[in-house]
């Protein structure tokens, strides 16, 4: 069985959530190629979803100090 470091996962969830919102903002600029930002944003969303699933499983077991709903801003 894999030993999950909840602290690291929670930091990654928060970072990916922030990055997705930042890329949303950047992709709206007229001076950038929005396709590049959309591709990165998609990759971040996929990974964020995967990490949220892992975190939610640990939350059900009572192994997390912060609820998932409080980690995500969006």
């Amino acid at each position: 069985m894999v030993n999950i470091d909840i602290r690291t996962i929670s930091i990654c969830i928060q970072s990916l959530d922030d990055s997705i919102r930042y890329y949303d903002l950047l992709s709206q600029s007229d001076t950038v190629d929005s396709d590049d930002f959309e591709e990165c944003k998609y990759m971040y969303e996929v990974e964020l979803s995967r990490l949220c699933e892992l975190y939610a499983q640990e939350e059900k077991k009572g192994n997390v100090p912060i609820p998932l709903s409080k980690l995500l801003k969006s």
Side-chain angles (χ1 to χ4, degrees):
M1 177 161 268
V2 177
N3 186 9
I4 297 175
D5 182 1
I6 294 302
R7 183 174 178 269
T8 300
I9 291 177
S10 66
I11 290 169
C12 289
I13 287 172
Q14 291 171 328
S15 297
L16 284 169
D17 190 41
D18 287 343
S19 295
I20 290 167
R21 283 187 283 106
Y22 178 70
Y23 274 49
D24 265 341
L25 178 67
L26 288 178
S27 68
Q28 295 172 16
S29 172
D30 293 335
T31 60
V32 299
D33 182 6
S34 63
D35 290 341
D36 290 340
F37 289 108
E38 289 296 322
E39 184 177 339
C40 288
K41 191 177 99 171
Y42 173 75
M43 290 187 306
Y44 289 170
E45 288 171 339
V46 169
E47 195 60 28
L48 177 62
S49 175
R50 190 179 73 79
L51 290 176
C52 285
E53 286 177 20
L54 286 172
Y55 196 90
Q57 290 172 2
E58 291 301 309
E59 186 175 14
K60 286 179 184 175
K61 297 176 189 175
N63 295 335
V64 300
I66 303 169
L68 181 59
S69 61
K70 292 197 178 205
L71 289 178
L72 298 172
K73 295 178 185 174
S74 52

